Amino acid sequence: KLQPLRPEQLARWACFGAMETSVDWDPSMILDEIKTMREQYNQQVAKEEPSPKFQWEFACTLACSPRYADVREAVELLEELVEVGFRRVDCLHHLILANLKIGQYAKAKDNADVWLHLEPDNGVARMMYSVVVERASHDGWIAWCGFALLATGLITAWLRRK
């Protein structure tokens, strides 16, 4: 039987757009939850008994953080879980989202490729792959335009000096 989510659970998943929430969300809420979960996770690691389920929950919470370092840590934790085979598809999904969030398009594409290989008929996997490719090409195009503008400015400045 499905249990209703507690407000702190709603806030955790709200950043991924998984559901509408009636809770007034404040970014400090996620940072407080990360602090609490980090303490619990570090205790488990110190006892050499980290639970994959708790690591999964902690990684998903970290991925919602507005801080780059937290999202990077989420990527590392999710990669560990993928390697050991824990909830592989769910981990790949969140790994793609986290990599997109920090601009690691090549890694996001690699993870989308793995997911498509595991579940070639999965519509969400196909959609995530197309989002990764579109995002990478869009940002790549903007980078090339910026580079071209910079080069044009440098050449113009050099020509004016003469």
Side-chain angles (χ1 to χ4, degrees):
K1 183 178 177 186
L2 294 175
Q3 299 294 321
L5 295 175
R6 297 184 312 270
E8 63 272 9
Q9 291 173 314
L10 287 171
R12 178 184 313 148
W13 297 107
C15 69
F16 284 122
M19 61 185 68
E20 290 292 322
T21 176
S22 61
V23 176
D24 290 332
W25 190 77
D26 176 19
S28 66
M29 289 172 59
I30 195 76
L31 298 177
D32 292 341
E33 187 167 351
I34 287 171
K35 181 180 176 184
T36 303
M37 292 183 84
R38 185 180 308 279
E39 291 169 2
Q40 293 172 353
Y41 181 74
N42 288 336
Q43 288 173 356
Q44 288 185 5
V45 169
K47 293 179 185 175
E48 297 181 8
E49 301 173 353
S51 158
K53 182 177 187 253
F54 188 77
Q55 182 173 336
W56 153 257
E57 292 171 355
F58 181 45
C60 290
T61 304
L62 285 170
C64 293
S65 174
R67 296 188 299 209
Y68 180 90
D70 289 340
V71 180
R72 183 75 210 122
E73 185 178 359
V75 167
E76 292 169 8
L77 293 173
L78 289 166
E79 286 173 344
E80 287 178 13
L81 292 170
V82 168
E83 286 178 25
V84 298
F86 180 82
R87 295 176 70 168
R88 184 167 278 152
V89 170
D90 292 332
C91 286
L92 285 168
H93 185 151
H94 284 81
L95 199 49
I96 292 166
L97 292 172
N99 277 314
L100 283 173
K101 188 172 182 178
I102 60 175
Q104 298 291 323
Y105 302 119
K107 286 185 177 185
K109 184 183 176 300
D110 291 344
N111 291 314
D113 287 336
V114 171
W115 189 6
L116 275 175
H117 179 73
L118 291 173
E119 297 183 343
D121 296 329
N122 186 317
V124 176
R126 289 179 181 187
M127 188 255 333
M128 289 302 294
Y129 182 84
S130 66
V131 166
V132 169
V133 171
E134 185 276 329
R135 188 78 243 162
S137 65
H138 178 266
D139 284 8
W141 176 251
I142 290 173
W144 274 108
C145 289
F147 177 74
L149 188 61
L150 177 67
T152 304
L154 290 173
I155 291 170
T156 303
W158 183 72
L159 289 173
R160 285 188 177 185
R161 286 180 117 189
K162 288 188 164 197

